[in-house]
Amino acid sequence: SSKRPVYKAETTGSYWGDVKAAASRLSPDDFSHIGEMPCARSSLLNGIAAGAGVGIVRGIGAGPFVASNWAVGTFMLISIGTWTVCQRNRNEERRRIQQVIEEMPRRYVVKKEGE
């Protein structure tokens, strides 16, 4: 049976305690389903493309160690940035849908009274 993800959990009050608790929830099976997570696939692909591009361009003028550092840094920055923007857009869309759902009964009642 598949485990349902835990989106909110109580904190331990300690940063490293929270990291340990989060790491204990990970399983190897979680990484095989990363493409099913909202926004993860596109964010990782954007990060890979940007990291490879910056790594190649930086590798022309600098050594492989410097180029790989730039590539990894760019990958992380772009992946986290695009994931954050995607999550914000999803939350905003979810909020708009909730508003429409809440407005539907009022619109129906007003329309029915106007007939």
Side-chain angles (χ1 to χ4, degrees), residues 26-33:
L26 290 176
S27 71
D29 190 42
D30 292 338
F31 295 104
S32 65
H33 298 292

Side-chain angles (χ1 to χ4, degrees), residues 12-76:
T12 62
S14 162
Y15 174 78
W16 293 110
D18 292 344
V19 170
K20 184 178 176 184
S24 69
R25 288 193 204 111
L26 290 176
S27 71
D29 190 42
D30 292 338
F31 295 104
S32 65
H33 298 292
I34 199 162
E36 297 169 10
M37 292 173 56
C39 302
R41 185 173 191 270
S42 62
S43 297
L44 289 172
L45 288 174
N46 286 334
I48 290 169
V54 168
I56 290 170
V57 169
R58 190 68 178 132
I60 293 170
F65 184 72
V66 172
S68 64
N69 284 339
W70 276 81
V72 170
T74 303
F75 162 75
M76 292 177 63

Side-chain angles (χ1 to χ4, degrees), residues 2 20 29 47 57 62 83 100 103 106-107 109 115:
S2 65
K20 184 178 176 184
D29 190 42
V57 169
W83 184 81
V100 168
E103 288 287 325
R106 284 187 240 155
R107 289 181 184 171
V109 169
E115 290 181 346

